[in-house]
Amino acid sequence: RLTIKQLFDRWAATELTPNVLANGKRSGRKDGGQYSRDQFERRIFPVLGEVAAVDVRKADLLAILDAVKAEGKLRTCNVLLTDLKQMFHFALAREIVDRNPLDTITKRQAGGAETERERVLTADEVVALARQLPKANMGLRSICAVWMTLATGCRVGELMNAQWDHIDLGKRTWHLPDTKNQRPHTIHLSDFAVQQIQNLATMRVLTPAGLPCPWVFPNTKGSNALDIKTFGKQLSDRQRPPEKRLSNRTAATESLSLPGGKWTAHDLRRTAATTMASLGISSDVIDECLNHMIQSRVTRIYIRDRREGEQVKAFDALGQRLAELVALAIQKGA
């Protein structure tokens, strides 16, 4: 009669902990299930943590999911549903429970159908962003993070976990050995991206042990990489009406607001791809630049060409376009 807390711990240790299989593929989750643990500690454990998993009813779990939905956090609700179903499926296979109480519940019945974001910053908005960033009361490291995302099209998690050992300014490359789709990826650094890296190098800090910090974007103690949610909050806090300012957060609440509406770090990645497309770069090269998973199984297996030469041209063209927009912002501000 494992409690929900005990069941979660066993599930996390068995299924969520990162492992490398014999074939070189990764199992588990990159964060070791930390995001799921945070959500369970906040929403599940206070209500059901000490209840035996076998005694938990569908109604108990739906009450929690309904409360999350009522907060307007539809995606969080759906992610929580997925984790709960996976955990109970794990328990059912091991005869810890005799049924999965959420087997018949779909995302449509929980948080509802999720709509894909389509937000892309226009060229005029990138110019506006270049003028607004210096006045947004953000550190230079965070400003560089915005430009690095636009210049490389990387995922925010990849950027926040970037390490100095993986960056070679001589070769103008940033290597990502472990990515979302489980294949390594090397990003060519344009002149524009190199400038951001050089700015970041001037801010390198030491670890608590007094050694050079390995992370490009360290936390305040230099003991680990910066939490991706911290960067996201910095952007979000600067795109809200003054009356909705959160306590102990920046007073520059509208400093990064743009005409097209709220934008996120992931929207910068989409903007990088869209900008490449506007420069005449083909979609297959853009997919390689962004390290997208190739949908065709046959293509994944038999075509190994990553189009490195075309990627270099694409990243250089993107960097040149960003440099032009920043120069235009400076000209308008003069």
Side-chain angles (χ1 to χ4, degrees):
R1 291 179 61 82
L2 295 183
T3 65
I4 289 294
K5 278 186 179 180
Q6 292 170 330
L7 172 58
F8 179 90
D9 287 340
R10 183 170 169 183
W11 173 57
T14 307
E15 299 288 337
L16 306 187
T17 302
N19 289 296
V20 178
L21 304 177
N23 61 3
K25 295 292 185 179
R26 188 181 71 233
S27 67
R29 299 187 184 176
K30 194 171 182 180
D31 69 346
Q34 187 58 50
Y35 176 81
S36 296
R37 183 176 294 278
D38 291 343
Q39 290 299 319
F40 271 63
E41 288 179 348
R42 179 179 177 184
R43 303 178 185 281
I44 305 297
F45 294 162
V47 182
L48 300 173
E50 301 305 323
V51 177
V54 72
D55 294 334
V56 172
R57 300 175 305 142
K58 181 192 301 184
D60 300 326
L61 298 170
L62 287 179
I64 295 173
L65 294 175
D66 286 345
V68 178
K69 183 177 181 179
E71 294 176 21
K73 298 185 176 181
L74 306 186
R75 184 177 182 279
T76 299
C77 182
N78 286 338
V79 170
L80 197 56
L81 170 67
T82 299
D83 278 347
L84 285 166
K85 292 178 76 167
Q86 289 181 6
M87 185 182 73
F88 274 101
H89 180 75
F90 169 86
L92 182 61
R94 287 154 181 80
E95 296 186 335
I96 297 170
V97 299
D98 53 15
R99 74 198 190 291
N100 186 335
L102 293 173
D103 249 347
T104 61
I105 303 301
T106 65
K107 287 184 179 180
R108 186 176 297 277
Q109 295 168 303
E114 299 176 26
T115 57
E116 294 185 2
R117 283 185 62 83
E118 299 178 352
R119 179 74 166 98
V120 171
L121 274 62
T122 65
D124 287 342
E125 286 183 313
V126 174
V127 172
L129 184 63
R131 297 180 64 185
Q132 293 169 215
L133 277 170
K135 308 172 186 177
N137 195 27
M138 285 203 310
L140 179 58
R141 189 177 282 116
S142 296
I143 293 175
C144 288
V146 170
W147 291 121
M148 277 295 291
T149 308
L150 279 169
T152 65
C154 64
R155 298 177 176 89
V156 64
E158 295 167 346
L159 184 64
M160 292 298 105
N161 284 283
Q163 298 187 34
W164 286 110
D165 285 349
H166 297 153
I167 294 175
D168 188 330
L169 287 181
K171 295 181 179 178
R172 301 171 71 92
T173 59
W174 169 27
H175 183 64
L176 287 74
D178 186 19
T179 64
K180 181 179 179 181
N181 62 17
Q182 300 191 35
R183 69 172 182 170
H185 180 49
T186 299
I187 294 174
H188 169 73
L189 299 174
S190 63
D191 290 343
F192 186 86
V194 166
Q195 183 61 61
Q196 309 310 315
I197 295 293
Q198 291 173 336
N199 290 339
L200 289 162
T202 65
M203 298 178 280
R204 193 168 182 181
V205 300
L206 299 178
T207 66
L211 300 173
C213 184
W215 291 282
V216 179
F217 295 92
N219 61 20
T220 54
K221 297 180 180 179
S223 59
N224 209 329
L226 185 70
D227 190 318
I228 62 173
K229 290 184 285 188
T230 299
F231 180 53
K233 288 175 182 177
Q234 288 182 338
L235 301 181
S236 179
D237 286 345
R238 289 161 175 78
Q239 301 178 71
R240 61 175 76 246
E243 63 272 14
K244 292 189 177 182
R245 176 192 176 191
L246 301 179
S247 61
N248 300 319
R249 301 282 185 86
T250 180
T253 54
E254 296 180 295
S255 55
L256 293 183
S257 295
L258 294 173
K262 187 174 181 178
W263 56 275
T264 67
H266 192 75
D267 295 334
L268 298 178
R269 172 174 160 87
R270 190 180 299 108
T271 299
T274 303
T275 303
M276 284 183 177
S278 72
L279 295 171
I281 297 164
S282 64
S283 59
D284 58 328
V285 173
I286 295 174
D287 281 340
E288 291 293 353
C289 287
L290 271 62
N291 196 28
H292 280 155
M293 174 63 76
I294 300 172
Q295 296 302 313
S296 168
R297 181 173 178 273
V298 173
T299 302
R300 284 201 307 270
I301 293 174
Y302 290 101
I303 301 179
R304 296 295 183 175
D305 183 11
R306 296 292 300 271
R307 310 287 296 278
E308 286 88 353
E310 294 302 313
Q311 285 191 57
V312 169
K313 294 177 183 178
F315 281 123
D316 280 341
L318 173 61
Q320 179 61 36
R321 178 56 175 156
L322 291 173
E324 291 170 356
L325 295 176
V326 171
L328 183 57
I330 294 174
Q331 179 182 342
K332 286 186 174 182

